[in-house]
């Protein structure tokens, strides 16, 4: 850790802009700055180079909707019953509660109160009933879709789930061309229109989430990858990278790049064979609490006040909401009940120590806790798993038997949290429990493929 505040710190009280660029189901090892040998992401890498790269950056859930609920509120979603992915409500659950509880404040709600204009482009996935729509959750502008995914091309209507209408409250939505490009267009347009006022842009891309659909010209770039799914996946990431490049170019053209806080991360780990992703060097995948499900590529760029570097203490997507509020000049009090913290003083070395002594996760059949470099995972059909992440980042050696006191301490802390949380608001189908447990016994690719 070698970060410090750059000399610009006292020169301006201008409120920074905020952009969250969220990739969807991106494998940990599938961008340049996390070591991909196959996939080239020059624009994402340039962003990483201009900012702080978090080696131990986590999301709060291993699947889309819970992770997004945590990210957008700064509260662990399990603490308000949003444990699960949104699906069709089971008969015993009231569909009026299938979404982000209206009692929770989003980043947009909080920044609205601080004078910001807020926009979301892309995937919402936090509820489809009127009360959950982004324009009722602090966002002034919405161009996108309410569900968990979308077709990339207009012509492909094979999967109804991914064939939902584009909704916008500020324009008649144009027909899509290739949706990653369309989202890029809208993000660039948002930046142009709001360059003179403090803004928050939630750029919610669906790449490289299924359905696996890529442009021919991008597929040609990866003709050397034999596996068709991985080739398509690589091409989809290329197009994401191109559009991130377009956004950065626009910010620079408008001379607001330096005072814009840009965060890049994925909402969860890659689902390996489902989309061709690789989480190397981490074990596991989307849907489970091994590192491959929850540790993600994570960057914050803010050239005006944040010197570039690497930060290696554990942080979480839950930290974004309080960090943004603090940087925007807001006050954080206990009433906010944030589970995240303002990480800015930590990453600028104003505060020593760890932003978090403990991080905890819960998802369907599994729960996990990290304390320092120790990580414990609790499953229903076996003794707890304990890993030392410093010595064994790929979680290959379960050392629970050698550290039984520690296992008990960590189980106690995890269990106490568990029984303090409210009942869940909605559930996924029962078959997912078996499915997720089986994923703990699979073998995952822990090294990068040859080029
Ligand atoms: Ca996802």
């Amino acid at each position: 850790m070698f970060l410090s505040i750059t000399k610009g710190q006292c020169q301006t009280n201008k409120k920074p802009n905020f952009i969250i660029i969220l990739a969807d189901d991106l494998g940990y090892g599938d961008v340049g700055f996390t070591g991909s040998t196959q996939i080239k992401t020059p624009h994402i890498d340039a962003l990483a180079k201009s900012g702080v790269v978090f080696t131990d950056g986590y999301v709060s859930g291993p699947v889309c909707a819970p992770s997004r609920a945590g990210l957008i509120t700064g509260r662990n979603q399990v603490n308000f019953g949003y444990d699960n992915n949104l699906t069709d409500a089971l008969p015993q659950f009231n569909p009026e509660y299938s979404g982000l509880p209206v009692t929770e404040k989003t980043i947009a709600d909080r920044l609205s109160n601080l004078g910001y204009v807020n926009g979301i482009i892309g995937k919402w996935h936090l509820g489809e009933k009127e009360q959950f729509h982004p324009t009722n959750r602090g966002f002034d502008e919405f161009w996108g879709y309410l569900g968990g995914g979308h077709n990339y091309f207009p012509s492909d209507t094979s999967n109804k789930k991914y064939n939902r209408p584009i909704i916008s409250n500020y324009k008649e939505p144009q027909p899509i061309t290739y949706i990653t490009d369309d989202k890029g267009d809208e993000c660039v347009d948002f930046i142009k229109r709001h360059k003179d006022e403090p803004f928050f842009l939630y750029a919610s891309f669906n790449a490289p989430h299924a359905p696996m659909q890529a442009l021919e010209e991008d597929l040609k770039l990866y003709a050397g990858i034999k596996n068709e799914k991985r080739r398509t996946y690589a091409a989809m990431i290329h197009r994401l990278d191109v559009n991130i490049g377009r956004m950065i170019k626009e910010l620079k053209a408008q001379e607001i790049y330096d005072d814009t806080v840009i965060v890049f991360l994925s909402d969860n780990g890659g689902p390996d064979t489902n989309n061709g992703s690789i989480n190397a060097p981490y074990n596991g995948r989307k849907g489970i609490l091994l590192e491959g499900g929850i540790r993600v590529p994570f960057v914050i760029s803010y050239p005006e006040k944040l010197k570039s570097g690497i930060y290696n203490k554990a942080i979480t997507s839950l930290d974004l909401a309080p960090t943004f509020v603090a940087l925007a000049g807001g006050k954080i009090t206990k009433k906010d009940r944030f589970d995240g913290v303002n990480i800015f003083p930590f990453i600028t070395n104003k505060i020593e120590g760890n932003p978090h002594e403990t991080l905890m996760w819960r998802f369907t059949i599994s729960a996990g806790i990290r304390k320092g470099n120790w990580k414990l995972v609790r499953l229903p059909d076996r003794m707890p798993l304990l890993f030392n992440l410093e010595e064994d980042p790929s979680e290959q050696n379960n050392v629970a038997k050698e550290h039984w006191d520690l296992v008990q301490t960590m189980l106690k802390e995890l269990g106490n949290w568990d029984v303090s949380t409210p009942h869940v608001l909605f559930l996924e189908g029962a078959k997912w429990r078996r499915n997720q447990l089986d994923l703990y016994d699979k073998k995952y690719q822990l090294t990068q493929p040859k080029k």
Side-chain angles (χ1 to χ4, degrees):
M1 222 184 359
F2 49 87
L3 309 172
S4 63
I5 293 188
T6 55
K7 64 179 191 277
Q9 63 174 314
C10 299
Q11 290 169 355
T12 173
N13 290 319
K14 188 180 175 293
K15 288 176 188 285
N17 307 304
F18 300 102
I19 301 180
I20 294 176
I21 302 173
L22 193 60
D24 196 345
D25 288 12
L26 174 68
Y28 183 88
D30 287 331
V31 287
F33 81 88
T34 57
S36 182
T37 53
Q38 280 187 326
I39 301 172
K40 306 280 176 255
T41 53
H43 299 293
I44 295 170
D45 296 349
L47 184 70
K49 205 173 173 191
S50 91
V52 173
V53 171
F54 296 88
T55 59
D56 294 45
Y58 289 94
V59 285
S60 59
V63 297
C64 307
S67 171
R68 286 153 193 264
L71 178 146
I72 209 70
T73 58
R75 300 194 64 221
N76 191 316
Q77 66 282 353
V78 170
N79 287 335
F80 50 81
Y82 204 122
D83 289 38
N84 296 296
N85 244 335
L86 288 168
T87 47
D88 295 333
L90 295 170
Q92 65 271 40
F93 288 85
N94 184 342
E96 291 299 320
Y97 294 91
S98 278
L100 185 71
V102 293
T103 46
E104 297 301 323
K105 283 187 187 158
T106 68
I107 293 175
D109 288 321
R110 294 179 189 275
L111 291 179
S112 280
N113 292 335
L114 296 167
Y116 278 70
V117 59
N118 302 290
I120 165 171
I121 310 296
K123 166 171 165 174
W124 178 237
H125 212 197
L126 294 173
E128 304 208 11
K129 296 271 182 189
E130 176 91 31
Q131 65 269 32
F132 302 124
H133 286 200
T135 44
N136 289 324
R137 307 310 301 269
F139 287 95
D140 304 290
E141 296 190 4
F142 175 41
W143 185 102
Y145 42 92
L146 297 166
H150 204 281
N151 277 312
Y152 289 78
F153 292 111
S155 53
D156 188 328
T157 54
S158 51
N159 188 333
K160 282 211 172 75
K161 187 171 74 165
Y162 294 136
N163 191 28
R164 306 281 303 281
I166 298 291
I167 300 169
S168 176
N169 72 328
Y170 61 90
K171 68 192 286 192
E172 183 66 34
Q174 69 276 35
I176 64 167
T177 57
Y178 182 74
I179 203 164
T180 306
D181 285 333
D182 304 320
K183 287 180 183 178
D185 289 346
E186 291 307 312
C187 288
V188 167
D189 181 56
F190 182 93
I191 292 165
K192 277 184 183 159
R193 287 186 290 111
H194 297 295
K195 64 180 168 47
D196 295 324
E197 57 190 327
F199 67 74
F200 165 46
L201 172 60
Y202 178 22
S204 184
F205 287 92
N206 51 325
H209 190 293
M212 304 312 290
Q213 300 166 346
L215 290 163
E216 277 303 323
E217 64 189 275
D218 297 343
L219 287 166
K220 280 183 190 153
L221 299 173
Y222 289 100
I225 298 179
K226 288 198 179 73
N227 181 293
E228 189 186 343
K229 192 178 275 181
R230 179 142 175 97
R231 183 163 69 242
T232 308
Y233 170 82
M236 290 164 76
I237 294 173
H238 170 76
R239 191 50 42 181
L240 172 66
D241 187 69
V242 165
N243 279 285
I244 291 171
R246 292 175 62 212
M247 291 165 65
I248 291 169
K249 190 175 170 200
E250 189 61 39
L251 290 166
K252 287 182 173 170
Q254 303 293 351
E255 299 183 341
I256 53 174
Y257 180 71
D258 285 357
D259 56 10
T260 297
V261 178
I262 307 175
V263 183
F264 172 81
L265 76 168
S266 178
D267 66 340
N268 49 254
D272 77 323
T273 49
N274 289 17
N275 69 350
S277 50
I278 294 175
N279 295 306
Y282 298 116
N283 195 14
R285 52 156 271 166
K286 175 182 181 178
I288 64 174
L289 299 179
L290 296 177
E291 296 291 280
I294 50 176
R295 197 193 294 210
V296 295
F298 204 133
V299 170
I300 299 181
S301 166
Y302 183 17
E304 175 131 330
K305 293 196 179 177
L306 194 57
K307 204 173 159 186
S308 65
I310 294 170
Y311 190 78
N312 58 15
K313 290 175 179 171
I315 60 116
T316 156
S317 55
L318 304 177
D319 297 330
L320 296 177
T323 301
F324 287 9
V325 168
L327 289 175
K331 287 248 179 322
I332 297 166
T333 69
K334 278 194 174 159
K335 275 189 186 163
D336 292 311
R337 296 180 302 159
F338 281 129
D339 294 305
V341 298
N342 172 16
I343 51 170
F344 207 68
F346 291 94
I347 61 180
T348 52
N349 276 338
K350 275 190 163 179
I351 301 181
E352 296 263 324
N354 299 318
H356 301 275
E357 294 304 323
T358 303
L359 287 174
M360 291 190 280
W361 297 265
R362 191 177 79 195
F363 180 62
T364 66
I365 46 92
S366 53
I369 173 170
R370 177 173 172 171
K371 281 180 89 64
N373 283 320
W374 294 103
K375 161 101 177 283
L376 178 140
V377 177
R378 189 190 72 193
L379 295 171
D381 69 339
R382 66 199 76 178
M383 299 301 276
L385 312 173
L386 182 73
F387 302 104
N388 183 326
L389 293 177
E390 190 173 21
E391 294 166 6
D392 178 27
S394 302
E395 295 172 304
Q396 296 297 291
N397 305 307
N398 175 12
V399 292
K401 276 186 202 159
E402 293 84 56
H403 300 277
W404 206 241
D405 287 350
L406 186 59
V407 168
Q408 285 182 304
T409 308
M410 291 173 82
L411 271 181
K412 181 94 181 153
E413 189 168 351
L414 187 58
N416 276 329
W417 173 58
D418 219 3
V419 296
S420 72
T421 59
H423 283 305
V424 298
L425 291 162
F426 39 82
L427 281 170
E428 288 188 84
K431 67 168 185 180
W432 285 100
R433 290 178 296 166
R434 173 84 257 165
N435 179 297
Q436 270 139 12
L437 187 56
D438 289 346
L439 291 177
Y440 280 90
D441 294 321
K442 266 188 68 177
K443 289 270 176 260
Y444 297 93
Q445 183 163 347
L446 302 177
T447 54
Q448 285 287 335
K450 288 180 187 145
K451 286 181 189 178

